[in-house]
Amino acid sequence: MADWPTLHVSQHPAVRHKLGILRDVSTEPKKFREVVRELSWLLGYEALADARLRKIDVPTPLEVMHGEELADRIGLVPILRAGLGMVDAMLELMPTAQVWHLGLFRDERTLRPVEYYNKLPNESTVDLSLILDPMLATGGSATAAIEVLKRWGAVRIKLVNLIAAPEGVEAVAKAHPDVEIYCASLDRQLNEKGYIMPGLGDAGDRQFGTGNPG
Ligand code: PRP
Ligand code: URA
């Protein structure tokens, strides 16, 4: 296995337990969405561990003390559609975060990302951007999203995924060695259709109940 210094795979027992539920084919969309949300909270907590603080005075009922508040302007960048399910949990963690949606889907034939929604303003308005997408497969979507954010002027970018494939980690690490990747699992490989094995199937379909029953 290659050594990727930018890859952080959570070892937390709660993460590992929840991931088993998420992968299980019998997990229904309602439960699936709940677990995506819970895992996003736990991974977001890890990904934001080095967010910057500034000192402030905090008046407790007894005296004024030296406290801290978040100094970084955080930008959450969910990749539509599947990344949507990760937003609420991250906003619970960082209520002042800005949310910038990016619409990308993977062309099923070429496996290349196609951009269909992007309303970023001309200049970056955040200090730290977290790209949210449950799946890092070939890395095409993540790389495209990182390129959009860098053109926008984003300088500190992190990727938060639930499951990553080695192929996707390699692609992101090679093209963007400055971008740290946080995930719950590094799986074995992609199959011939570009799905992560063992994975969980199609993260968007499983959240939104849109899978093709055939
Ligand atoms: C999935 C997933 C990622 C992408 C990963 O989205 O949520 O965005 O595939 O694959 P990649 O690493 O090979 O680019 P999909 O294209 O299925 O769109 P959806 O979220 O609308 O279902
Ligand atoms: N997108 C998904 O939703 N699942 C995969 O396994 C690969 C890409």
Side-chain angles (χ1 to χ4, degrees), residues 1-92:
M1 182 66 66
D3 182 27
W4 295 292
T6 49
L7 177 67
H8 307 268
V9 183
S10 178
Q11 300 302 324
H12 199 290
V15 169
R16 293 164 72 160
H17 171 84
K18 288 173 193 298
L19 197 54
I21 300 170
L22 200 69
R23 290 184 191 276
D24 190 327
V25 66
S26 68
T27 300
E28 298 291 335
K30 179 174 185 294
K31 181 71 180 170
F32 192 91
R33 289 192 296 271
E34 272 169 34
V35 180
V36 166
R37 178 193 173 95
E38 291 163 2
L39 280 169
S40 303
W41 204 102
L42 292 163
L43 291 178
Y45 185 80
E46 294 186 359
L48 287 164
D50 62 353
R52 291 186 285 224
L53 297 166
R54 73 167 78 86
K55 299 210 177 309
I56 54 165
D57 286 340
V58 179
T60 78
L62 302 175
E63 64 176 10
V64 176
M65 63 165 286
H66 296 305
E68 289 161 322
E69 69 176 8
L70 198 64
D72 274 332
R73 295 167 303 167
I74 310 283
L76 305 177
V77 185
I79 307 302
L80 308 178
R81 256 175 334 161
L84 282 175
M86 302 175 72
V87 175
D88 282 356
M90 300 292 293
L91 277 174
E92 270 170 24

Side-chain angles (χ1 to χ4, degrees), residues 6 128 146 150 154-159 172-181:
T6 49
L128 173 60
I146 294 165
K150 285 190 172 174
V155 281
R156 286 164 64 211
I157 302 173
K158 297 186 182 207
L159 193 54
V172 172
K174 202 165 160 206
H176 301 285
D178 55 314
V179 172
E180 308 222 37
I181 305 169

Side-chain angles (χ1 to χ4, degrees), residues 35 41 51 61 94 97 99-100 123 200:
V35 180
W41 204 102
M94 293 284 159
V99 183
W100 295 105
E123 285 179 19
L200 51 72

